[in-house]
Amino acid sequence: MLVSFFLLSLAIRNVWPQRMCPKAFLVLYMLLLLAGMPVTLLSCIPYGLFGILAATCIFGLLTCRNTAPQNVCMGMIGFVLTLVTEEVLSWLLHMLIPPAFSDLQNMRYISFGVNLVHIVLFYFMTLFCGRLLKKLLLSGKGILRLQQTWYLIDAALLLLITIYLFDDLIPGQNGSLGRMIYNNALHISGYLLVMLFLLLAMRRTWMEQMQTEAKQKALQDLQDYTHNLEVMYNSLRSFKHDYVNILLSLSGYIENGDMDELKNFFEYKIFPTKNLIDQGDYKLNQLGNIGVLEIKSLLCAKMIYAHESGIDVTIDIPDRVDSFLIDTVDLARVLGIFLDNAIEAALETEQPQIGLNVLQNQAGVSVIISNCFEDHGLMLHRLKEEGFSTKTGHSGIGLSNVQKILGAYENVLLETTMQGGCFMQHMELVY
């Protein structure tokens, strides 16, 4: 039995996606020996084999998290490859050794030689099959590059092996009603375990994908924030240079004592620059009161984009806000949807305006996003329906996603109002 578990470990090692170090091989071998104790000590063959299969899957899940579904798949393939290769080698040895010489196998040295040849042939056969399978399955092309595909393959293999173990290796029913109920219960349990594994794996993949997309969005907003800060810094340097030139121009009139010309120069040349300076004032100093970097970068990027699009932006954040009482990734997704919709709606009006208010109070934090819009008699409740959109070519899932995100929080209250050409999203984050 020690040799059998060694061969099983060897087959799994030959089909493993990565190069398996001796330490990992030893851990796998010891884990299989431990899982095979029901087979070796209790002669519980069918159920013990299922435990060995489960141990192989657990080893694949824990070895490398990044390639866990591939590890589980190749581990189960190694399990099946061991059974198939053993059957093929047994048939070959039976064909090569005549029945007249079968008694010679009981001799010590001949038996050792036969076993050695058996192990060598097993190694090279599984090595060849392993390289071929890895070349076919681990190419990373097509649908095989998706993690969901590997989870489906894992579930299918686990289901097929479970059916084989329960249907072919477990003794027949022998006309017994109890045996029939017992086997059916095992079947159903096996199917439920496989489906549970599949659902959990798919859920984990979906959560990781959503978190990755949110992190990428936050990183992009931070990059936009940094870029806009650089642009503002360059504008400040340019203004400083122009300010020095303005002072030099004024000094010429002062030295000559020509006050009338100085007055005219100031009124017609200097004073109009106030409007340019006011137009470039993004009021970003208000955003300095936001103590959460990812939220501040998102708001800054959206407000600067709105201003550059010709929208009159108003920001009011009088007090410092260091926390928002919900996950910042979810909050960034919600605020991003609100601000994108507000910008698009405001740009459809003749005098586009957007307002952002973040207020810290005793109950929590209030976030108010308002914008002007063209009122076409649209009912408010329809905006929250999944698939509905007032914009051509849009999927219309933004506000419905907001409902799903905020539905997971009991401390968040959202009020949406439309009145007098003003659309307002009022969100209360309470303690």
Side-chain angles (χ1 to χ4, degrees):
M1 295 303 294
L2 294 177
V3 175
S4 298
F5 285 111
F6 175 77
L7 293 178
L8 176 59
S9 304
L10 198 61
I12 295 175
R13 179 253 183 199
N14 288 338
V15 299
W16 202 249
Q18 304 89 21
R19 182 179 180 86
M20 186 179 293
C21 63
K23 182 179 179 180
F25 180 80
L26 180 61
V27 172
L28 173 63
Y29 180 58
M30 299 302 297
L31 182 63
L32 293 177
L33 281 178
L34 183 63
M37 289 180 62
V39 176
T40 57
L41 300 180
L42 304 177
S43 299
C44 189
I45 295 177
Y47 313 109
L49 291 176
F50 189 79
I52 295 172
L53 176 64
T56 303
C57 296
I58 293 174
F59 179 79
L61 290 173
L62 299 180
T63 300
C64 183
R65 298 291 181 87
N66 295 331
T67 59
Q70 291 90 332
N71 296 341
V72 172
C73 178
M74 301 308 287
M76 288 190 290
I77 290 177
F79 182 86
V80 176
L81 183 62
T82 301
L83 299 177
V84 174
T85 306
E86 282 289 317
E87 290 293 332
V88 172
L89 288 177
S90 298
W91 178 78
L92 285 176
L93 292 176
H94 179 73
M95 293 294 295
L96 294 176
I97 299 178
F101 297 96
S102 59
D103 294 337
L104 295 177
Q105 297 185 43
N106 296 327
M107 299 179 62
R108 179 179 179 182
Y109 296 105
I110 295 179
S111 176
F112 176 78
V114 171
N115 291 332
L116 182 61
V117 172
H118 180 91
I119 294 174
V120 172
L121 291 176
F122 181 90
Y123 173 77
F124 283 106
M125 289 179 65
T126 55
L127 182 64
F128 172 77
C129 294
R131 290 182 176 179
L132 181 62
L133 290 171
K134 286 191 287 187
K135 186 176 181 180
L136 293 175
L137 299 177
L138 302 178
S139 60
K141 299 179 181 179
I143 61 174
L144 292 177
R145 61 185 176 86
L146 301 176
Q147 293 289 82
Q148 293 88 335
T149 303
W150 285 100
Y151 287 127
L152 291 174
I153 295 175
D154 292 344
L157 280 176
L158 189 58
L159 184 60
L160 291 174
I161 296 174
T162 302
I163 293 174
Y164 171 76
L165 292 178
F166 285 162
D167 287 347
D168 295 343
L169 295 184
I170 293 180
Q173 298 172 5
N174 297 327
S176 172
L177 179 62
R179 173 61 67 178
M180 181 180 66
I181 296 175
Y182 179 66
N183 285 348
N184 289 335
L186 288 177
H187 285 178
I188 295 173
S189 300
Y191 299 153
L192 290 177
L193 286 175
V194 172
M195 291 301 104
L196 180 62
F197 169 79
L198 177 61
L199 291 175
L200 291 177
M202 295 291 287
R203 181 182 180 276
R204 177 182 176 185
T205 302
W206 180 79
M207 293 295 294
E208 291 177 351
Q209 182 178 357
M210 294 298 295
Q211 291 178 358
T212 301
E213 292 178 356
K215 290 179 180 178
Q216 290 176 350
K217 185 67 168 57
L219 179 60
Q220 182 62 43
D221 291 336
L222 182 59
Q223 291 175 348
D224 294 340
Y225 172 66
T226 305
H227 172 71
N228 286 305
L229 285 181
E230 293 176 355
V231 173
M232 293 175 62
Y233 175 71
N234 291 332
S235 299
L236 181 61
R237 291 181 59 189
S238 176
F239 174 76
K240 181 180 179 181
H241 181 268
D242 294 341
Y243 177 72
V244 173
N245 292 332
I246 290 173
L247 292 180
L248 292 176
S249 64
L250 292 175
S251 64
Y253 293 104
I254 295 175
E255 289 177 359
N256 295 330
D258 194 348
M259 300 305 295
D260 293 334
E261 291 294 331
L262 176 61
K263 182 179 180 180
N264 292 331
F265 180 77
F266 178 79
E267 289 181 353
Y268 294 102
K269 298 295 183 181
I270 304 301
F271 189 75
T273 60
K274 174 182 179 295
N275 296 329
L276 297 177
I277 296 174
D278 289 341
Q279 291 177 2
D281 181 13
Y282 300 156
K283 302 179 181 179
L284 292 180
N285 59 321
Q286 294 279 334
L287 293 175
N289 289 330
I290 302 295
V292 183
L293 179 60
E294 52 266 39
I295 302 301
K296 177 165 61 177
S297 62
L298 170 69
L299 296 178
C300 180
K302 296 297 183 183
M303 292 296 100
I304 292 177
Y305 173 75
H307 179 84
E308 293 177 347
S309 300
I311 300 176
D312 183 14
V313 176
T314 302
I315 302 176
D316 182 19
I317 310 175
D319 302 317
R320 182 170 179 82
V321 180
D322 292 319
S323 64
F324 288 91
L325 308 175
I326 67 172
D327 185 74
T328 55
V329 173
D330 290 338
L331 180 60
R333 293 171 60 193
V334 171
L335 293 179
I337 293 172
F338 285 164
L339 291 172
D340 288 339
N341 291 342
I343 292 172
E344 292 180 1
L347 289 175
E348 296 177 354
T349 63
E350 295 181 358
Q351 296 180 345
Q353 296 178 347
I354 285 180
L356 171 65
N357 302 83
V358 182
L359 305 175
Q360 178 79 59
N361 50 55
Q362 295 181 353
V365 180
S366 298
V367 180
I368 303 173
I369 298 175
S370 60
N371 63 276
C372 58
F373 74 103
E374 290 288 342
D375 192 355
H376 301 291
L378 181 66
M379 300 300 293
L380 181 60
H381 70 274
R382 295 213 61 194
L383 293 176
K384 301 179 182 180
E385 295 178 1
E386 185 171 356
F388 178 80
S389 176
T390 60
K391 298 178 285 293
T392 305
H394 285 242
S395 58
I397 60 175
L399 293 180
S400 62
N401 280 343
V402 168
Q403 297 295 322
K404 294 178 182 179
I405 294 171
L406 298 184
Y409 297 94
E410 297 181 354
N411 64 321
V412 179
L413 303 176
L414 176 63
E415 181 184 10
T416 305
T417 58
M418 298 169 55
Q419 186 176 5
C422 179
F423 187 90
M424 181 181 298
Q425 298 281 10
H426 183 185
M427 185 167 53
E428 287 284 345
L429 312 174
V430 299
Y431 292 109

